[in-house]
Amino acid sequence: MRQIDDLKPMVQEKIPVEMLLNSPVKLVKLTNETGLENFITDKNLHRPQLALAGYVGLFTFQRVQIFGNTETLYLKSLSRIARIKALQKICQFKIPCVILTNSNTLDQELIDIFVAAGIAVFMTEYDTTKAFSMLSDFLDDQFSPQLVVHGSFVDIYGVGCLFVGRSGIGKSEIALDLIERGHRLVADDVVMLTSKKESLLMGTGTSLVQHFMEIRGLGIIDIRQMFGIRSIRFQKRLEIVVELEDWDDKETYTRTGLDEKSINIMGIEVSKVKLPIFSGKNITVIAEVIAVNYLLRTYGYDASQVFSDKLNERIRKKSGPKKYFEDKRIIPYFKDLE
Amino acid sequence: MIIIEKEVTVRNRAGLHTRPAASLVKLSSRFDSEIFLIRDGFMINGKSIIGVMTLAAENGCVLTIRAEGDDAEAAVNEIADLFEQGFGEI
């Protein structure tokens, strides 16, 4: 079986300036169609203060240039000649686009310098700080690496569980069973994983498939229509990868759960559970238990650790199994007798 | 493990719609090798009908078939043939 960690992620190396118009900062075009086909190759933003002042060493011109109040007022403070010179200087560089914040504008003759250089200029009503963070988020999302994974992605009690395994092992059937029990489907068969700020993974479906699903022997069904809106969701953070495998006598499966396994997907560590399948085993219930156990661990209770500590305590006291015979049944034995 | 890749063109006019997708998946599932179809870096499992349909492959578009496993060569050739014959639609 092809493992998730050796799949190659898709990385967007450049996006056209035009894409910025889809960002939430509500950009207004000041240069019509000029420069919309330029490419942005860097997800960071830049405020070109020193460059405007004439120092262009280390000028990160390939970034989106943000003109805040400082830049606009500085330009206004210059003489007309100096102002034009300053802009001509930065326009020698291949800047993808310029964004004016706080609804600031530039004189038409300054805009024309940008147009001549083929640089798009936009305006936004947001202040610099707000526009900066919104645009950073937007560009971070556009440039984040993505991976297409073959599996079923279900939200179980709020825990994002991705089921992977060979074709025909029953990933979709497990997902269907979980949906029947009130859990929510994120995507089946084609799951897109997006790395967010290099710290977590978000899973979604594709716009074509959404919540359609194929069940072998049945065909294609639509989960949203069959089970209603509460049985689906559009995106979910990936927290556990459940690897389904055919039972193998020679493979050693974890018995205590003390050694937590994880898988590295696009540089992000995600918990991994290897689950052997054989007939008569209720995977759905086990999947729910995996999710709940993960929740307990996240909230600070690790059952395998607690049990192990209890055992160590017994060993330390050297009381052995004869203690069980001493524990009288009349006393509820969940009460801690020690 | 043998890995084989081959480029194919979608030749039938209607593209890789439901019926051709189904026959493609049926064929891929007969092989032990893992089968992948790749379009513009988007790689899906060739044994998943939803996956194949996600490619939304129109007439004339070029896909890469990739097989990994002992019967990879036969798999790639047979699948390529299916594309060549336009899934019986030309």
Side-chain angles (χ1 to χ4, degrees), chain A residues 1-3 7-8 10 148-150 167 188-190 192 206 208-209 212-214 216 220, chain B residues 18 29 34 36 40-45 47-56 66 68:
Chain A
M1 232 289 288
R2 183 77 172 240
Q3 301 297 312
L7 289 173
K8 216 173 123 243
M10 271 283 272
V148 189
V149 181
H150 180 225
S167 305
D188 189 55
D189 260 350
V190 183
M192 307 282 299
T206 52
L208 173 71
V209 179
F212 285 90
M213 192 187 227
E214 188 226 358
R216 242 154 265 206
I220 292 166
Chain B
T18 322
S29 302
E34 289 219 52
F36 299 99
D40 306 330
F42 181 81
M43 181 165 101
I44 56 87
N45 189 311
K47 294 180 185 177
S48 148
I49 187 147
I50 297 272
V52 171
M53 293 195 292
T54 314
L55 294 168
R66 182 184 167 99
E68 301 178 358

Side-chain angles (χ1 to χ4, degrees), chain A residues 166 169 174 244-249 253 275-283 286:
Chain A
R166 66 163 175 82
I169 201 163
I174 291 168
L244 304 171
E245 304 188 321
D246 298 291
W247 176 265
D248 180 355
D249 287 336
Y253 298 102
L275 203 57
I277 285 194
F278 52 85
S279 61
K281 188 163 170 176
N282 191 333
I283 300 295
I286 295 175

Side-chain angles (χ1 to χ4, degrees), chain A residues 140-306:
Chain A
D140 191 74
D141 191 51
Q142 294 292 321
F143 282 104
S144 40
Q146 287 187 303
L147 199 61
V148 189
V149 181
H150 180 225
S152 295
F153 193 28
V154 186
D155 168 348
I156 310 175
Y157 299 124
V159 181
C161 300
L162 176 67
F163 296 90
V164 294
R166 66 163 175 82
S167 305
I169 201 163
K171 300 178 290 290
S172 299
E173 287 73 10
I174 291 168
L176 189 61
D177 210 8
L178 285 163
I179 295 159
E180 267 277 303
R181 294 171 69 101
H183 303 290
R184 301 167 76 187
L185 178 73
V186 186
D188 189 55
D189 260 350
V190 183
V191 182
M192 307 282 299
L193 295 179
T194 311
S195 129
K196 288 254 173 221
K197 300 200 188 284
E198 286 140 37
S199 63
L200 59 92
L201 294 164
M202 285 303 262
T204 55
T206 52
S207 51
L208 173 71
V209 179
Q210 292 185 342
H211 300 95
F212 285 90
M213 192 187 227
E214 188 226 358
I215 297 292
R216 242 154 265 206
L218 250 184
I220 292 166
I221 56 170
D222 185 348
I223 295 301
R224 183 171 173 169
Q225 290 300 321
M226 281 180 122
F227 297 92
I229 193 77
R230 66 181 176 176
S231 65
I232 56 147
R233 59 182 295 167
F234 287 114
Q235 58 172 6
K236 178 75 190 98
R237 177 179 168 188
L238 173 63
E239 282 151 305
I240 308 176
V241 173
V242 183
E243 261 182 36
L244 304 171
E245 304 188 321
D246 298 291
W247 176 265
D248 180 355
D249 287 336
K250 288 173 200 77
E251 178 85 51
T252 50
Y253 298 102
T254 185
R255 303 298 294 265
T256 59
L258 284 171
D259 40 347
E260 214 183 319
K261 295 238 165 43
S262 68
I263 181 172
N264 187 302
I265 305 173
M266 295 185 279
I268 298 159
E269 292 290 324
V270 181
S271 300
K272 181 179 99 170
V273 180
K274 219 183 224 183
L275 203 57
I277 285 194
F278 52 85
S279 61
K281 188 163 170 176
N282 191 333
I283 300 295
T284 313
V285 172
I286 295 175
E288 282 180 337
V289 171
I290 289 171
V292 174
N293 209 31
Y294 175 86
L295 279 180
L296 278 177
R297 275 190 194 182
T298 311
Y299 284 79
Y301 184 89
D302 184 340
S304 48
Q305 196 56 53
V306 170

